[in-house]
Amino acid sequence: MTFSNIRIILLCFVSANTLGVPRNFNVDYKNDCFRKDGEEFRYISGSVHYNRIPRAYWKDRLLKMYMAGLNAIQTYVPWNFHEPSRGQYNFSGDRDLEHFLQLAHDIGLLVVLRPGPYICGEWDMGGLPAWLLNKKDIVLRSSDPDYIAAVDKWMGKLLPMMKPFLYQSGGPIITVQVENEYGSYFACDRDYLRHLTKLFRSHLGNDVVLFTTDGAGVRYLKCGALQGLYATVDFGPGGNVSVAFDAQRHAEPHGPLVNSEFYTGWLDHWGEHHSTVSTAIVAKSLNEILAVGASVNLYMFIGGTNFGYWNGANAPYAPQPTSYDYDAPLTEAGDLTDKYFAIREVIKLYRKVPEGPVLPSTPKYAYGAVQMKKLHTVSDALEVLSLSGPVKSIYPLTFIEMNQAFGFVLYRTKLPVDCSTPTPLSSPLNGVHDRAYVSVDGVAAGILERNKALTINVTGKAGSQVDVLVENMGRINYGKDINDFKGLVSNLTLGADTLTGWAIYSLSIDQAVSQGLLWEPGSGEAAPPPPSPLSVPTFYGGAFVIPDGIPDLPQDSYIRFPNWRKGQVWINGFNLGRYWPARGPQVTLFVPAIILSTAAPNNVTVLELEADPCTPGHCTVEFTSTPVLNATVNSDHKHQRALFRRDDLL
Ligand SMILES: *[C@@H]1O[C@H](CO)[C@@H](O)[C@H](O)[C@H]1NC(C)=O
Ligand SMILES: *[C@@H]1O[C@H](CO)[C@@H](O)[C@H](O)[C@H]1NC(C)=O
Ligand SMILES: *[C@@H]1O[C@H](CO)[C@@H](O)[C@H](O)[C@H]1NC(C)=O
Ligand SMILES: *[C@@H]1O[C@H](CO)[C@@H](O)[C@H](O)[C@H]1NC(C)=O
Ligand SMILES: *[C@@H]1O[C@H](CO)[C@@H](O)[C@H](O)[C@H]1NC(C)=O
Ligand SMILES: *[C@@H]1O[C@H](CO)[C@@H](O)[C@H](O)[C@H]1NC(C)=O
């Protein structure tokens, strides 16, 4: 490079940034490209959801994305993550979106922002807050006035926060997506999209590029594209790239080609085989996309984890597991893969990738087996789990009616008649959302499961206590069934009678776990139940110490559950998520080192819903250094999939 070249570059830099000449980013319809500060520009972006990664790891993941040769990242903003109850906002800690954007900016990554309000994303209710269902017949993602009022208020909070991060204001955000794959939704309400467009413009101004994303088919773009929003498409590897972009051209005859979701892998469901997509096919299609000069976003570049209760579900009801590894180029734990390096090689053909070593995968440590002991059954711990006590109701109430969004609710009643012979206890189809653990007088009687297990037999005397613990396994995040109420959404029947006279307990399990309340001894030791294939939902606890004298501990780990069947696990009060090795394919849960302590024993609390792993013999959980996400599955429904498109979910 000659001296004069350098001077010109410096001059450009100075004039664009210091001398107040506005930074600009826009669509050039004449030349079919984006323009950044006047220069032709295309982005090669990767999806990373800050809400699926602990804050302490954001920088590591973003640096690895930068080193892969990406010049941008893409993230959703899940509304329900930031407004957990109406009017109560949380942008701190792991929810500190501004910090995340600032990190990306500091590293040199541009941002494609997808603030919804609906995001899909295999996230509970597609990011919409469950409290919207307080209006029973609300039409989500439409001009329904109550929905619009809530959206206006939320966007009135979020978008002004985002404005300083726009490229035009000196920040990293180059484009902002409005809604998400709206053309796949039944409502097809153009007034709603028009309203969102006006709303986004009123907060963000007229300069920012607003866009939509829809499946690469004319039928999706029909209801998804709107004048004033730049229409882009999404499609996975293995198809015909030029045919896919023809669909975009149908809606957008001129301007840059953009694939907003190029699938590097695919999502999982409990009870279905782990999805993988070959590196060769990803590399080949990426090369074809870049060769036609398109902008692209790799979905996901790192999937991360559905910690806590955040996973979503597809319909017919099929919840996603805790891991959102996605077979992405960076693993759930942020580790480098062959796919990462193959993608980097493809990008190298089109743009200079940063030199220097790529940050290594983080080391993992196998802390070994941890002895667990039984603490309390859920039914015995109601005093600490349900501080407000029960709500009495003739018929069952939903989670929302109980003012609870996530987790578990206990429904208690009595057998109205003697059931000396096995008597069917039943729910209608789709009546239990999503899984109900039934016991009679403290003895497990069976499990009802949404659309799958509708009847169990119970025996007992009239007046026996019936406890039905109902688990919310994640709200549907895609399609017409996103109004997904939880709990007993229909009556249960015993023989020919409708069960009535319920005492319904809202449970604050997370609070009780983090305050250590479940570790306190109970009021009386219950006699051990008879050995049985099924046990009542029970808490177990154990602790382990990080060994001394080994450098760089604590490190990340994985936890597995030999002899356990299904439940929820917390470490030091942090809700790691659901485990369900009995169904698969996920067997281990990611344990980020950031939640571990060297100063005190680390407390593991498990709520096991089905089986007592402690009889016979001793029960342990195990910390290992390798993940298992692809065990053989144990399920009656296995729908196989050949293509990687939204159509798979219809
Ligand atoms: C906000 O979210 C952070 C991160 O999840 C959490 O630690 C904190 O307790 C939340 N704050 C409130 C007030 O709930
Ligand atoms: C993609 O489809 C176009 C139009 O049908 C066809 O001309 C082209 O050969 C196909 N490309 C590949 C790689 O199959
Ligand atoms: C319930 O008991 C009846 C009669 O013993 C039996 O035929 C039926 O299979 C049982 N149903 C279930 C779900 O166990
Ligand atoms: C239960 O049945 C009663 C009486 O038929 C009905 O009014 C009520 O809506 C039902 N409850 C649920 C949750 O389906
Ligand atoms: C685990 O629980 C014990 C007993 O309640 C407590 O002393 C300790 O600080 C806890 N460990 C951590 C890491 O919070
Ligand atoms: C699961 O994945 C591991 C690591 O990629 C692989 O070695 C193993 O063969 C896979 N197992 C199954 C059952 O597919």
Side-chain angles (χ1 to χ4, degrees), residues 73-88:
I73 59 157
Q74 190 205 63
T75 187
Y76 284 129
V77 180
W79 179 4
N80 54 7
F81 196 57
H82 293 290
E83 193 179 351
S85 45
R86 196 191 281 271
Q88 301 207 320

Side-chain angles (χ1 to χ4, degrees), residues 452-471:
K452 288 209 175 95
L454 306 182
T455 297
I456 60 170
N457 283 329
V458 300
T459 52
K461 290 202 164 37
S464 296
Q465 179 173 291
V466 180
D467 276 0
V468 182
L469 182 72
V470 179
E471 177 186 11

Side-chain angles (χ1 to χ4, degrees), residues 269-270 272 311-320 430 432-435 449-452 471-476 481 484 486 578 637:
H269 296 119
W270 290 118
E272 292 175 20
N311 68 275
N314 281 301
Y317 192 71
Q320 297 118 18
N430 207 24
V432 169
H433 288 193
D434 303 296
R435 218 153 183 269
E449 185 172 335
R450 182 170 179 175
N451 299 347
K452 288 209 175 95
E471 177 186 11
N472 165 358
M473 292 204 295
R475 291 186 184 78
I476 291 174
D481 299 322
D484 191 5
K486 294 303 184 184
R578 309 170 205 268
H637 78 117

Side-chain angles (χ1 to χ4, degrees), residues 118 120 123-130 133 138-141 147 179 185-186 313 315 450 475-485:
Y118 164 83
C120 191
W123 189 257
D124 187 78
M125 209 167 150
L128 299 175
L133 299 174
I138 193 166
V139 185
L140 301 166
R141 307 178 67 193
Y147 174 70
E179 247 280 346
Y185 192 56
F186 73 91
R450 182 170 179 175
R475 291 186 184 78
I476 291 174
N477 62 270
Y478 180 78
K480 64 176 172 36
D481 299 322
I482 53 175
N483 295 46
D484 191 5
F485 293 87

Side-chain angles (χ1 to χ4, degrees), residues 104 129 182 228 298 310 364 370 374 382 543 568 586 593-594 598 608:
Y182 192 64
L298 289 88
W310 285 115
K364 308 292 182 297
V370 174
K374 200 178 285 193
L382 284 184
Q568 197 86 27
Q586 179 175 8
I594 189 74
T598 49
E608 164 62 42

